[in-house]
Amino acid sequence: MISLQFITHQTERYSYLESARMALEGGCKWIQLRMKDVPLEEVETVALQLKPLCKEHEAILILDDHVELAKKLEVDGVHLGKKDMPIDQARQILGEAFIIGGTANTFEDVVQHYRAGADYLGIGPFRFTTTKKNLSPVLGLEGYSSILSQMKEANIEIPVVAIGGITFEDIPAILHTGVNGIALSGAILGADNPVEETRRIIDSPQRTQRTQSFSFFPKTE
């Protein structure tokens, strides 16, 4: 089973909440509620609706960027982009019980986030994607292999999730580089049946030893 993080996205067909619900119904156990350029009150409204859905499906819920809101709503954690709050500052606010992920594009980013106490890294983009503004340089397979090799040499052990323009066909080769999981959005929402596409991705037999050993579990209440 592939470790999949679904990143919410609003399309002409689906709302943020609907996109997450379909991923959950397809078996995804890790949702990142990402609502860029949306008023905080609206993010909170959707998060409050999504939290019980994630609990029902025994899935992790993390918020993109909004550290204080994550603490207020007691979701499982946050994901912080390169221009969001620094990870060490977020850790001071949230404590150790919350998952904190960070976006990385270079080995230098990896080192910085690792030292700051991140729980996992979203490294990318794999290729160009329209779902994110101000895109960092595209990595491709060689980029992942290079960064993971440098991590191994530096004895940096932290889960790595590949992100950015990834399709179903890309997954085997990306996992072969040694990443621990895959983050998807458009590849699922662009499918005729997002629920079935999520299930197809998760049940894909292509995996490595590292992906099998990588998992997060929601906090018990």
Side-chain angles (χ1 to χ4, degrees):
M1 180 178 290
I2 289 175
S3 295
L4 171 67
Q5 180 186 125
F6 176 75
I7 302 176
T8 63
H9 184 62
Q10 184 166 260
T11 70
E12 292 182 357
R13 297 174 64 189
Y14 308 117
S15 67
Y16 292 108
L17 183 62
E18 288 170 333
S19 72
R21 177 185 56 77
M22 291 185 295
L24 290 168
E25 290 181 1
C28 182
K29 297 298 183 181
W30 190 6
I31 304 294
Q32 180 189 148
L33 180 60
R34 186 175 189 271
M35 299 173 64
K36 289 294 187 184
D37 304 318
V38 172
L40 184 62
E41 312 85 69
E42 188 175 337
V43 177
E44 181 171 359
T45 297
V46 176
L48 284 170
Q49 294 174 291
L50 184 53
K51 184 180 176 181
L53 282 176
C54 286
K55 185 175 182 179
E56 176 186 344
H57 289 273
E58 299 182 334
I60 293 164
L61 173 59
I62 61 175
L63 304 186
D64 175 70
D65 186 12
H66 300 293
V67 174
E68 296 286 358
L69 183 60
K71 183 176 183 179
K72 174 184 176 182
L73 300 184
E74 297 184 325
V75 297
D76 295 294
V78 294
H79 183 92
L80 300 172
K82 298 179 74 171
K83 296 183 179 181
D84 295 334
M85 179 185 292
I87 287 173
D88 52 359
Q89 184 178 340
R91 182 64 73 193
Q92 290 178 355
I93 294 171
L94 296 175
E96 296 299 324
F98 287 75
I99 296 166
I100 299 180
T103 296
N105 177 251
T106 66
F107 177 65
E108 289 70 27
D109 293 337
V110 170
V111 173
Q112 178 182 348
H113 294 335
Y114 177 74
R115 290 176 176 172
D119 293 301
Y120 78 92
L121 300 176
I123 299 183
F126 172 67
R127 67 159 59 87
F128 178 79
T129 173
T130 59
T131 61
K132 189 172 184 179
K133 298 178 182 178
N134 304 316
L135 203 65
S136 296
V138 170
L139 293 175
L141 294 174
E142 292 185 3
Y144 285 112
S145 296
S146 175
I147 290 175
L148 288 162
S149 177
Q150 292 177 82
M151 289 174 63
K152 185 175 182 180
E153 291 177 6
N155 293 316
I156 294 176
E157 295 187 6
I158 184 172
V160 170
V161 177
I163 185 173
I166 297 170
T167 67
F168 177 82
E169 290 72 20
D170 297 322
I171 293 175
I174 294 176
L175 292 180
H176 188 68
T177 68
V179 304
N180 305 96
I182 303 290
L184 297 175
S185 183
I188 289 175
L189 297 182
D192 291 336
N193 188 325
V195 174
E196 289 300 322
E197 184 67 7
T198 303
R199 191 170 291 122
R200 181 170 79 114
I201 291 165
I202 291 174
D203 292 340
S204 171
Q206 300 290 342
R207 60 186 181 179
T208 67
Q209 184 176 354
R210 291 186 67 185
T211 59
Q212 292 179 59
S213 63
F214 168 49
S215 62
F216 282 125
F217 297 94
K219 304 186 300 297
T220 55
E221 296 184 358

